[in-house]
Amino acid sequence: MHLAYPAVLSALLFCTGLYGVLARRNAILVLMSVELMLNAVNLNLVAFDVWLSRAAEEALHSGQALTLFTIAIAAAEIGIGLAIVLAVHRNRGTADIDKLRDTAEGHESEAPDVQAPVEEKAEATA
């Protein structure tokens, strides 16, 4: 098998994941897109490991070992990310990323007016 086939497939998977991260509004779908991007990288690691092991005739398989570490880290990342998304959904009632940008306790309408003290100082000096 040529190296171009898994490389092209990996590029397509990575671009699909990147589109999912940039275009999706749901936090769970964004996490799934990140996982798709990590799987594309894993495919590249294994493909290049097989290609380099044939060229160098070595049996180290460091790309496959690195892929196993990447899968373990990705599983931990998705577990923690999903727990955070579920906790936010339980508290806020939505997993929409655009609606979750305001992470402060209060809302913008309850924030103190910044212009008020400047106007009071101007009136006091006049």
Side-chain angles (χ1 to χ4, degrees):
M1 178 186 268
H2 295 287
L3 181 62
Y5 297 132
V8 168
L9 179 62
S10 176
L12 290 174
L13 284 175
F14 192 85
C15 289
T16 304
L18 185 64
Y19 174 75
V21 167
L22 295 176
R24 298 292 177 195
R25 301 286 187 239
N26 192 344
I28 294 175
L29 292 177
V30 170
L31 287 174
M32 289 174 58
S33 298
V34 169
E35 284 294 318
L36 194 63
M37 291 168 57
L38 285 173
N39 286 331
V41 171
N42 287 339
L43 179 62
N44 256 342
L45 283 172
V46 171
F48 277 98
D49 179 55
V50 169
W51 182 67
L52 288 175
S53 68
R54 285 183 188 167
E57 296 180 4
E58 64 182 35
L60 185 59
H61 298 295
S62 58
Q64 293 177 11
L66 187 59
T67 299
L68 289 176
F69 285 117
T70 306
I71 289 171
I73 290 171
E77 174 257 336
I78 222 37
I80 292 172
L82 191 58
I84 291 171
V85 168
L86 289 176
V88 167
H89 186 272
R90 185 177 297 156
N91 290 336
R92 299 272 178 131
T94 184
D96 190 7
I97 294 175
D98 290 336
K99 293 180 182 175
L100 297 177
R101 289 188 184 185
D102 181 28
T103 58
E105 290 293 325
H107 300 287
E108 287 184 17
S109 61
E110 297 175 0
D113 190 16
V114 179
Q115 296 292 337
V118 175
E119 292 173 1
E120 290 175 6
K121 288 180 185 177
E123 291 175 4
T125 56

